[in-house]
């Protein structure tokens, strides 16, 4: 079983929809949680990071972490065709050494249609 | 700032050949890492460094070597290429590893 599970999709939504992307994990030592966006044939780009449980909002993006359920989410409001990409969750431990070692989900491919 | 620069962008190797993938960053980041990305497997950590002179193994280190003689550079060496090393390789760096990494644009490596 992988430490981080993520539905690969593809997920297809109409423009303007609210998108929900999710990851589950099994390692209770994970303390830092990140979401990356990756366009085709490009490197991942950091979207958001959160520490421990709670919510964080940045423009149209909201990240949620529920450590009790080992579940993290990324919500995209008013989705745009430019949001079409693969979204990767990533997480790491709370100590300096373990924080350097990110564990990624396999990514969810999102397609926003006109 | 150029960010994280990886060279080459594409490479084809024959089985048994060796090569070095270059990675350089101009952000004065202490933390640097190498990942490989394969379909259905996501990004997997190969080696990482927490500063010049300090490196450690990640999840899939076999067949790869690294060194970190300067803050800016973190080359990845393939000792004897195998078809299983066909992948896209990403280098990443971070000022503070707790808050995410900046990735390069990747090197697409094919071993035949």
């Amino acid at each position: 079983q992988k430490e981080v599970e993520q539905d690969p999709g593809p997920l297809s939504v109409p423009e303007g929809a609210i998108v929900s992307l999710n990851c589950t994990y099994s390692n209770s030592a994970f303390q830092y949680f990140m979401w990356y966006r990756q366009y085709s044939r490009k490197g991942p780009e950091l979207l958001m990071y959160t520490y421990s449980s709670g919510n964080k909002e940045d423009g149209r993006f909201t990240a949620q972490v529920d450590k009790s359920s080992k579940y993290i989410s990324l919500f995209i409001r008013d989705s745009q065709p430019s949001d079409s990409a693969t979204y990767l969750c990533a997480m790491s431990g709370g100590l300096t050494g373990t924080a350097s070692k990110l564990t990624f989900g396999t990514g969810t491919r999102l397609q926003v249609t006109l | 700032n150029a960010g994280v620069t990886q060279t080459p962008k594409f490479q084809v190797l024959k089985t048994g050949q060796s090569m070095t993938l270059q990675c350089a960053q101009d952000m004065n980041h202490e933390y640097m890492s190498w990942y490989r990305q394969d379909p259905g497997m996501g990004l997997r950590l190969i080696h990482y460094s927490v500063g010049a002179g300090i490196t450690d193994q990640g999840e899939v280190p076999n067949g790869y070597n690294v060194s970190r003689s300067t803050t800016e550079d973190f080359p990845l060496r393939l000792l004897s290429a195998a078809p299983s090393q066909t992948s896209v390789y990403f280098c990443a760096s971070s000022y503070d590893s707790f808050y995410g990494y900046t990735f390069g644009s990747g090197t697409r490596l094919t071993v035949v």
Side-chain angles (χ1 to χ4, degrees), chain B residues 1 8 12 16 31 39 49 54-55 70 76 80 84-85 92 96 101 112:
Chain B
N1 287 352
V12 179
Y31 300 88
S49 171
I54 306 170
T55 64
T70 67
L76 177 72
S80 176
S84 61
Q85 294 178 305
D96 183 332
Y101 279 75
V112 297

Side-chain angles (χ1 to χ4, degrees), chain B residues 11-17 19 64 78 80-87 89 108-112:
Chain B
Q11 184 71 47
V12 179
L13 286 180
K14 294 182 178 179
T15 297
Q17 286 185 318
M19 80 160 294
Y64 308 95
L78 278 70
S80 176
S84 61
Q85 294 178 305
T86 293
S87 187
Y89 291 85
R108 292 183 174 273
L109 176 67
T110 301
V111 182
V112 297

Side-chain angles (χ1 to χ4, degrees), chain A residues 5 10-11 20 24 27-28 39 45 53 61 73 78 83 87 89 94 96 100 102 108 113:
Chain A
E5 299 280 358
L11 178 63
S20 172
T24 59
N27 188 343
S28 58
Y39 291 113
E45 168 195 12
S53 287
F61 299 91
S73 301
D78 188 23
D83 294 327
Y87 290 80
C89 64
T96 300
S100 303
L102 292 181
T108 299
T113 58

Side-chain angles (χ1 to χ4, degrees), chain B residues 3-5 14 20 29 33 43 45 47 59 74 76 91 100 110:
Chain B
V4 178
T5 302
K14 294 182 178 179
T20 299
H29 286 173
S33 301
L43 283 150
L45 181 64
H47 285 284
E59 180 185 355
F74 191 41
L76 177 72
C91 178
T110 301

Side-chain angles (χ1 to χ4, degrees), chain B residues 9-50:
Chain B
K9 294 191 182 303
F10 303 93
Q11 184 71 47
V12 179
L13 286 180
K14 294 182 178 179
T15 297
Q17 286 185 318
S18 62
M19 80 160 294
T20 299
L21 307 185
Q22 301 291 345
C23 176
Q25 52 91 8
D26 60 357
M27 298 173 284
N28 201 32
H29 286 173
E30 291 293 329
Y31 300 88
M32 297 187 75
S33 301
W34 275 102
Y35 291 86
R36 59 177 289 174
Q37 187 173 37
D38 303 291
M41 302 293 291
L43 283 150
R44 292 180 293 167
L45 181 64
I46 305 172
H47 285 284
Y48 67 100
S49 171
V50 299

Side-chain angles (χ1 to χ4, degrees), chain A residues 53-65:
Chain A
S53 287
N55 295 358
K56 185 173 183 179
E57 187 173 322
D58 185 1
R60 296 185 296 113
F61 299 91
T62 299
Q64 287 186 351
V65 175

Side-chain angles (χ1 to χ4, degrees), chain A residues 5-12 19-23 35-38 76 83-89 105-111:
Chain A
E5 299 280 358
Q6 186 175 8
D7 188 329
L11 178 63
S12 183
V19 176
S20 172
L21 303 166
N22 311 295
C23 288
W35 286 95
Y36 287 83
R37 177 175 61 196
Q38 186 176 24
I76 307 174
D83 294 327
S84 298
T86 296
Y87 290 80
L88 305 160
C89 64
T106 52
T108 299
R109 190 157 63 92
L110 172 67
Q111 182 73 37

